[in-house]
Amino acid sequence: MAASKQLYQEVILDHNRKPRNWGTLNDATHQAEGVNPLCGDRLHLAVKVNDDAVEAIAFEGESCAICKASASMMTTAVKGKPRTEAEQLIHEFRDMATGKLDTEQQPHHLGRLTVFSGVKDLPTRVKCAILPWHTLHAALNSMATTSTEADDDPMHEPTPGGVA
Ligand code: ZN
């Protein structure tokens, strides 16, 4: 436990000091703004999709350390990947951060992103970690803006077996 916490802190610090893929893209095909009003995180994500794969991706904005580190790691994780794999990572990351996916027991493709598995125990931080993924989902599905508090939350899924 102590080792994973230390790794988590090192990764967050490292990605805050030198965020990967920071900036914008001149030839973006998909873009979205993400906001997390609870924390004040705001980020702009630019994606270039070519041949149904994420050819290039960049982000910038004002956010807390967790959000920035999550965005930075997300860009490195999805860059070069087919869109379907990017979408799969979005869902796996969300399930991990909300405690629905146990990364030690269940199969997944998150790799080093599992350093964020601890956020499920930090309710106020879950949305900070998820926001970049939310925003990527919105960008890939051509929604201009997304908010972790919006009614039309693109990450919201109907309750299985719920009442219609
Ligand atoms: Zn935040």
Side-chain angles (χ1 to χ4, degrees):
M1 284 302 139
S4 73
K5 194 168 182 206
Q6 192 185 359
L7 175 64
Y8 171 74
Q9 282 166 350
E10 278 170 18
V11 168
I12 303 265
L13 282 175
D14 177 49
H15 282 266
N16 272 285
R17 235 177 334 221
K18 349 175 249 256
R20 320 301 198 265
N21 305 298
W22 179 262
T24 188
L25 297 176
N26 292 327
D27 53 354
T29 55
H30 297 68
Q31 305 197 50
E33 302 284 338
V35 284
N36 171 17
L38 289 185
C39 174
D41 303 314
R42 177 177 289 275
L43 59 90
H44 177 86
L45 191 69
V47 186
K48 184 184 178 191
V49 174
N50 188 20
D51 220 3
D52 230 25
V54 178
E55 186 177 284
I57 181 166
F59 79 102
E60 56 189 5
E62 293 283 333
S63 65
C64 68
I66 290 178
C67 182
K68 196 173 181 182
S70 177
S72 174
M73 288 187 77
M74 176 186 80
T75 59
T76 62
V78 302
K79 198 170 177 176
K81 291 237 165 68
R83 217 172 137 131
T84 49
E85 285 182 31
E87 289 282 358
Q88 184 178 34
L89 281 177
I90 290 169
H91 285 280
E92 289 183 0
F93 189 93
R94 182 201 53 193
D95 286 352
M96 170 180 73
T98 55
K100 277 191 272 180
L101 171 69
D102 181 343
T103 52
E104 285 175 16
Q105 305 290 334
Q106 294 166 267
H108 62 84
H109 308 81
L110 291 164
R112 290 200 74 199
L113 291 163
T114 55
V115 293
F116 286 98
S117 61
V119 300
K120 66 177 185 294
D121 301 319
L122 306 166
T124 56
R125 292 319 209 174
V126 171
K127 285 181 175 173
C128 300
I130 289 182
L131 180 66
W133 300 83
H134 246 287
T135 312
L136 176 60
H137 182 76
L140 291 176
N141 290 280
S142 300
M143 299 170 197
T145 58
T146 183
S147 167
T148 52
E149 300 305 303
D151 289 339
D152 58 346
D153 182 345
M155 301 292 280
H156 180 265
E157 278 176 333
T159 322
V163 244

